[in-house]
Amino acid sequence: MICAEEEKEYEKARRIKAGVLAFTAVVSVAVTSVPVYAVEDSPVVYDLKAEQKNQENLEYDQAALDLLKYCNKDDFKTWDQSLAPMNDAQAQEIKTFVDDQIVKGETEDYKKARLIYDWITKNVRYAGSNDTDIGLAPYDVFTKKVAVCGGYSNLYKAMLNAAGIPAIYVIGWAGGQGHAWNLVYADGKWFYSDTTWGVSNPNYYFAPDVKDFSGSHKTQDLVQVRLEGANNTQIGFSNGIAVVGVKDGITEVKIPEKFNDLDIVSVSSDIFNSTLKTLDISKRVTHIDTQLVSNAVSLQEIRVAEENTAYASVDGVLFTKDLKEILCYPAARTDESFTLPKETEKYDEKETFVCEKLKDIHVEEGNSKYSSYDGCIYNKEKTLLLTIPEAKTEVKVPGTVVLDNTTFDSRSNITKIELEEGITTVMPYVFNYCTGIKELYLPDSLESIEADAFNGVNLKQVTVYGNRGTYAEEFAKKNGCTFVADTSDYKKGDVDLDGNVAIGDVRVVLRSICQKIELNEMQELAADVEKDDKVDIKDLRKILRYVCGKIDSL
């Protein structure tokens, strides 16, 4: 249990870290090439009740310790350059300092680890909001003596390794925030140790009991812990015992249910590589990290065991078990169409359906959030166009849509766009760099197309279709487009366009042939009943015979 004084120190440490969270993300990129994930604090707050959270924390923290019993401790006695760069001269300087100034002849690893822990917590200051030159790589922390949790943990591991003690860099959560600390091996066992929080409470955070430690800390990743698993997999810890990789060149991956006596409950995002084609998820998996799913450019299908309680697959597409969210639509899925289930309420509108063969997406009737039209996804009311399938080249937009988003942005493969009656305005950048547009159908209701709506598009290559006297014709003339008047409603023989074929139409054709009048495009189509692309005496004779009842149709 934590005493009252220790609790005060705990709260003090929490406030210190909370005050520099926003600062940390910026500095972590500026100071070093260390991957952000390995050093960055993140202000994500759990919403679980305290008791549930602590139990979950303990399950994760204990599972990490359980995995380490299968690891060779000697694999973690040397510095890992993937955490941060440290050259030989820097490493030697740190080693000399540890040997001469900290350890000073001590031979027991546990006592050496405590001496190193004490030196760091006493001599390295946690960065404040005004600090701009902080350490993240071990040598920087050693010389500047100002750091955030990533820097503390890096220096701690480097110094422990210098003293011949195995240590692992741990990423996780502490006090409801992203955090980093270490696992240390001494006296025949692994134990958690947090130099950052040790600044305010050094006695408590050197080697706390795992149950007490889990009251505030939850392990998410053990960096560079890799073990050979079944089915050509690599096992590590990432949100639980996880498959964190596969052997090079493997295209079909089946997630094992167990690693020795441990349940495999997680799949790391590193599994999604460029060679992966099929992925089978076992019934025990409760966490899949899909952050890097876009790397799986060859992925065709994901299958999930029916007994799995967290996930499901529909036609090879990964969903949450309740089908409310699409987690991964395979980039190389071969089907040209897909139906979004009625249960689905969430997907990434820009990234989910990045599949070069997908032409049409339909939404199952009864979906409360989405609808579909002409193979594209809209919101339920069809006022917003959300997603256009990658392989779709012709798009028809219903008149209820307000074109103020950027769904079309840079879709260079689209060649034909038809805006239906009801659309009044096209806002700037709606068709930004849609360089493949050849045909553009504009409705009579259209009143304006804002400047830069077709930014990056050569409008001189576009043919605009619409009715004469409308904004469509005005837009075409203004921008050098070819304009074609809509002639879809003409009636054969109705040359005077009054809706009937009568003697008046014969008179109009005769006057045209005699060059007394000039027919417009619609009239020419109505008069050319012989369909030979010209209006002459043969057309006149046929219309006259129809009017006189000599033939039944034109």
Side-chain angles (χ1 to χ4, degrees), residues 61-111:
D61 293 341
Q62 186 59 56
L65 291 172
D66 292 341
L67 178 64
L68 291 182
K69 69 186 179 183
Y70 295 106
C71 294
N72 181 353
K73 66 181 185 304
D74 292 336
D75 291 340
F76 307 101
K77 278 188 173 182
T78 57
W79 176 247
D80 180 358
Q81 292 288 345
S82 72
L83 291 171
M86 181 169 64
N87 60 42
D88 291 343
Q90 292 169 341
Q92 184 57 51
E93 185 176 340
I94 290 175
K95 177 174 173 50
T96 300
F97 184 85
V98 169
D99 290 342
D100 296 346
Q101 303 297 322
I102 301 178
V103 173
K104 299 178 180 178
E106 178 59 60
T107 58
E108 293 184 27
D109 283 352
Y110 189 86
K111 292 181 178 179

Side-chain angles (χ1 to χ4, degrees), residues 86-334:
M86 181 169 64
N87 60 42
D88 291 343
Q90 292 169 341
Q92 184 57 51
E93 185 176 340
I94 290 175
K95 177 174 173 50
T96 300
F97 184 85
V98 169
D99 290 342
D100 296 346
Q101 303 297 322
I102 301 178
V103 173
K104 299 178 180 178
E106 178 59 60
T107 58
E108 293 184 27
D109 283 352
Y110 189 86
K111 292 181 178 179
K112 287 194 292 184
R114 180 59 195 251
L115 289 169
I116 293 169
Y117 171 92
D118 286 342
W119 186 89
I120 293 175
T121 58
K122 291 176 182 177
N123 290 278
V124 178
R125 177 174 59 83
Y126 197 91
S129 58
N130 294 323
D131 287 307
T132 59
D133 187 20
I134 67 172
L136 291 171
Y139 190 76
D140 291 335
V141 181
F142 176 60
T143 54
K144 297 174 182 178
K145 296 181 175 57
V146 180
V148 292
C149 61
Y152 275 92
S153 302
N154 278 334
L155 180 60
Y156 195 21
K157 174 175 168 58
M159 284 187 162
L160 288 167
N161 289 166
I165 300 171
I168 294 172
Y169 187 105
V170 182
I171 301 169
W173 307 94
Q177 301 162 1
H179 190 44
W181 60 92
N182 298 90
L183 274 161
V184 181
Y185 187 88
D187 281 4
K189 66 177 183 179
W190 288 97
F191 58 88
Y192 289 105
S193 193
D194 188 344
T195 48
T196 309
W197 283 34
V199 170
S200 59
N201 197 343
N203 290 328
Y204 185 77
Y205 287 106
F206 170 63
D209 175 78
V210 65
K211 186 174 182 179
D212 292 336
F213 190 70
S214 298
S216 55
H217 290 60
K218 177 184 177 182
T219 300
Q220 179 178 332
D221 284 284
L222 302 183
V223 178
Q224 292 302 323
V225 173
R226 296 288 187 273
L227 296 162
E228 293 299 317
N231 306 335
N232 297 302
T233 60
Q234 295 176 336
I235 307 301
F237 193 94
S238 180
N239 292 289
I241 308 299
V243 172
V244 295
V246 295
K247 291 182 179 179
D248 292 343
I250 299 299
T251 61
E252 299 180 359
V253 176
K254 185 175 182 179
I255 303 301
E257 291 188 13
K258 285 182 172 291
F259 175 71
N260 294 320
D261 62 332
L262 305 175
D263 288 346
I264 296 175
V265 298
S266 181
V267 176
S268 165
S269 61
D270 291 334
I271 199 80
F272 295 103
N273 58 48
S274 61
T275 61
L276 179 66
K277 290 185 178 181
T278 62
L279 177 60
D280 285 271
I281 305 298
S282 74
K283 65 182 181 181
R284 301 182 189 277
V285 172
T286 58
H287 179 88
I288 301 174
D289 186 348
T290 58
Q291 290 185 74
L292 301 179
V293 71
S294 60
N295 292 341
V297 294
S298 302
L299 184 60
Q300 298 175 358
E301 183 179 13
I302 299 176
R303 298 181 286 261
V304 179
E306 290 185 10
E307 305 94 320
N308 190 293
T309 59
Y311 301 100
S313 59
V314 177
D315 297 329
V317 179
L318 181 64
F319 287 79
T320 53
K321 186 66 175 181
D322 54 12
L323 304 185
K324 287 187 176 181
E325 182 178 358
I326 298 180
L327 300 174
C328 176
Y329 186 96
R333 187 172 182 268
T334 57

